[in-house]
Amino acid sequence: MRVEVAVLRPASPSAGDGLVTYRASGDLAARIQPGSLVSVPYGDHGQLGIVWSLDASDETGATVDDGGSEGGGVQLRDISGLALPEPALSATRRALAEWIADYYWVPLGLSARLMLPPGLAGSARSVLRLATAPVEGMDDGLPEDASLTLALLREEGSIERLRLEAAFGGARAREVTRMLVRRGLATLATELPPTRVQPRRERLARLAAAPAALEAWRAEARARLDESASAGKSARGRESVGERILRQLAALDALERARAPWRVEDLRRLARVTPGALAELERAGLLIIETVEARRDPMAALRPPRTEPLPLTAAQRRALDAILDPMTPVDEHGARVILLHGVTGSGKTEVYLQALAAVIVRGRRGLALVPEIALTPQAMARYAGRFPGRVALLHSGLTEAERLSEWRRIQLGEVDVVLGSRSALFAPIENLGLIVVDEEHEGAYKQENRPSYHAREVAVKLGALTGAVVVLGSATPSLEAWRRAREGSWRLVEMAERAVGSGERGRARLAHGAGEESGPEAERAALAGLPPVTVVDLRAELREGNASILSATLRAALNETLQRGEQAIMFLNRRGTATAVICRECGFTARCPECDVSLTYHADYGIEGALVCHYCGRREAAPRQCPVCWSASIRYFGLGAQRVETTLKRLYPEARVLRWDRDTARTRQEHEDLLRLFAERRADVLVGTQMIAKGLDLPAVTLVGVISADVALTLPDFRASERAFQLLTQVAGRAGRAAAPGRVIVQTFNPDHFCIQTAAAHDYATFSEAELAARERYGYPPYRRLVKLLYTSHDRYTAQVEATAMTAALERVVRERGLPETDVVGPTPAFIERLRGRYRWQVILRGPDPVAALRGLPADTPWWGWSVDVDSASSL
């Protein structure tokens, strides 16, 4: 039987279907089926692959396994074996993998790898095995290293390829392997070793006797207890008979009160009962001790209280009805998509929870995505509190053991809701009814490595394949989603007011004149319950002699907030203390020798601080004098989050200041600890970078200060204005989310920029209209798609030559195929030309379907050194 297999690690990074044809015979032919994970010979190596299709016809005219030429009578190579007994991919997952491979222009095997359990593909090993029926005399004339390998195979049966490479070197190990396989003395296979993450097991004790039998034993035990009351210890250091009986009684009482199994370790600790005493109870038929597989629960330490559905506002009710409406039209791909545009604090999460509950009642399951690990502690508490014991968690911050445990629970159907980051899309959820993509505008949903998928687009395709409703939620939707909703492809549902007392709170703000902004925009924001925004012109502050990082307005507002015992957030989109170290005498700037960027000064790295590269991680001592002119005129310029923290501690010594950025929180636990500290009000001021703007609900925060709103506006990227608007709007939304009114102060050197003006007015409609008009005029997404091709090399000239050659090839394809509205931009150095010691040149392909130009390139186009980012999130 002919079998088409998607090899998980294809030899070439170029796209194409990636299917290789093999032969399956005998018992194996009867056992494999589409979706099976198999071991196959691939070139000089063994590989894992997914069976894609079966063909019982003759096996002539098929391609060879390494992508070579076709030809009649080609003898196909045999599949080595079945790696897993059950199919690894369902039909739905294979269809999703096919779409990702086609849309994002990657080999099918790379997209199929996304669907496999965590760590499975990476754990495969290539093994050389002794042939079951070696050909007589084929070992004559073997070189010494091949003879040694064959002798070892006859002794041990198999040898890992890594062991051969360690002994002979990579090139010679490949030659020895090829020689033994061609002579029929050995076979090459790929195996999955015993999983590195063994299921954790625990012993549980539970009652086995009826209440009457328990009472009878207790009566007998008390009689024995009376008899032994006068007896001492039978031996020094051993328990007396009376102590043993008392501890057994305590253990039985604990099990009876709990009405559920106890972990043996916990029961022993509580009742101080010995293993022998428990064994005695088991022999008496009073309890059963059994060993079971224990779940590695990433939510074990959370223990959120159970919550009940909250009353919905009219806007929330309309949103929920729209999600559950079976008459929602499908888009051109067959998906039912709802864009939920709700202002910050409008109660989108409660809508998600009640929609999931309704879907579960109908016998289906749900998937909810959040963009960042930093958001998962709050999201976990909300989802686990509403669906206790029925939520699985998947994201990169979990250990391999935790991810595998959660994957198994999902596969076995033990959960109703899967919560996670973008990779949770590929979990084996059956009977999917609802997919929620919260904060859909976030850049974290875009995968940087191949396949460079976007979770929003994959979620929409998954919804089309499964019939699930897809809800995209955001206060600042991406322009791609907004355009499709406004044009009618997707259903637009708006929630324009905050959920808790929004209207009354807004009228109170107007009555009391809260904030310094006025006009119809401020009135509309106040009535929606949104915090008023004050824009401070930093140019005027400098003219008045205030060179501090805090304007007079922000400092006064922070004083009032702290005096009232409320919390504040100070936001800055930069890390470190200073972003540039410059000599004022000769102009020397401290730069990373591996990357084309300035080093950032961090004051808390050692006694004298350190210079750090935020791209490659290089760290070096901060200079006391210029290394070029040897002057002492070294100065630190720019502003970072660490400097803001230091300034606040100096100005407000009584305030408890907490900093949250990539330097203070690198692990999941550190993120959770910092969030918990601030949420429990053990800090007064939170200084942070982008992560504090992403959907956090902190009711005690009444002031948000944006130290500098200009950072994001200065980047030469077509998304700069969109990102700046989203960031300002989202961080402003952290204020005033409870009964107490909030306030936002934005400091900027560009107070008249339309992005800052519309963000201050919470006016997404005006911003999106202006930005979409500019995008259409200049041919940027969502009107045309981008593909960014990046070439990297240790040699700058090589990078430039290869990028120039690729540009010429793409221009030729566009011209010959007559692709409409498609052009090639470049070649140009990347925004950061040198990164980690490698030079980077890029070419941008822009058009309605730029992937069509890639498909038109010659089959022998060299792709080594290139990365291809389809629907790139940036033009930098």
Side-chain angles (χ1 to χ4, degrees), residues 34-45:
S36 293
L37 185 67
V38 293
S39 167
V40 295
Y42 189 72
D44 294 332
H45 294 268

Side-chain angles (χ1 to χ4, degrees), residues 149-172:
T149 302
L150 182 59
L152 195 58
L153 280 174
R154 285 170 174 161
E155 181 180 341
E156 299 184 4
S158 65
I159 305 174
E160 281 195 49
R161 274 289 299 271
L162 290 177
R163 187 174 165 190
L164 287 181
E165 290 175 4
F168 303 138
R172 188 56 189 163

Side-chain angles (χ1 to χ4, degrees), residues 371-513:
E372 289 276 2
I373 297 175
L375 295 182
T376 52
Q378 282 197 347
M380 281 192 300
R382 291 172 179 173
Y383 284 85
R386 190 63 57 88
F387 309 107
R390 303 295 295 175
V391 179
L393 182 67
L394 283 177
H395 61 71
S396 60
L398 302 180
T399 65
E400 185 176 339
E402 288 173 333
R403 288 201 307 272
L404 190 56
S405 177
E406 294 295 88
W407 190 276
R408 283 175 176 162
R409 293 179 65 221
I410 297 166
Q411 197 168 39
L412 294 172
E414 296 177 358
V415 301
D416 294 320
V417 178
V418 177
L419 172 68
S421 55
R422 60 175 182 255
S423 60
L425 277 166
F426 309 115
I429 317 170
E430 296 298 328
N431 206 14
L432 193 58
L434 179 64
I435 303 171
V436 174
V437 184
D438 194 23
E439 307 293 346
E440 66 82 23
H441 64 278
E442 281 289 347
Y445 283 126
K446 184 70 164 69
Q447 167 83 359
E448 293 182 358
N449 301 324
R450 297 187 81 190
S452 57
Y453 68 89
H454 196 295
R456 178 187 60 239
E457 304 304 323
V458 176
V460 171
K461 182 61 181 179
L462 182 59
L465 291 171
T466 59
V469 176
V470 181
V471 180
L472 311 175
S474 177
T476 54
S478 63
L479 292 179
E480 286 85 352
W482 183 253
R483 183 195 177 204
R484 294 178 74 172
R486 292 302 296 264
E487 291 180 350
S489 295
W490 296 345
R491 184 171 180 176
L492 176 63
V493 178
E494 300 196 73
M495 296 164 57
E497 292 187 356
R498 286 193 159 179
V500 182
S502 56
E504 293 78 1
R505 185 162 65 239
R507 293 184 184 90
R509 285 194 179 121
L510 286 177
H512 291 87

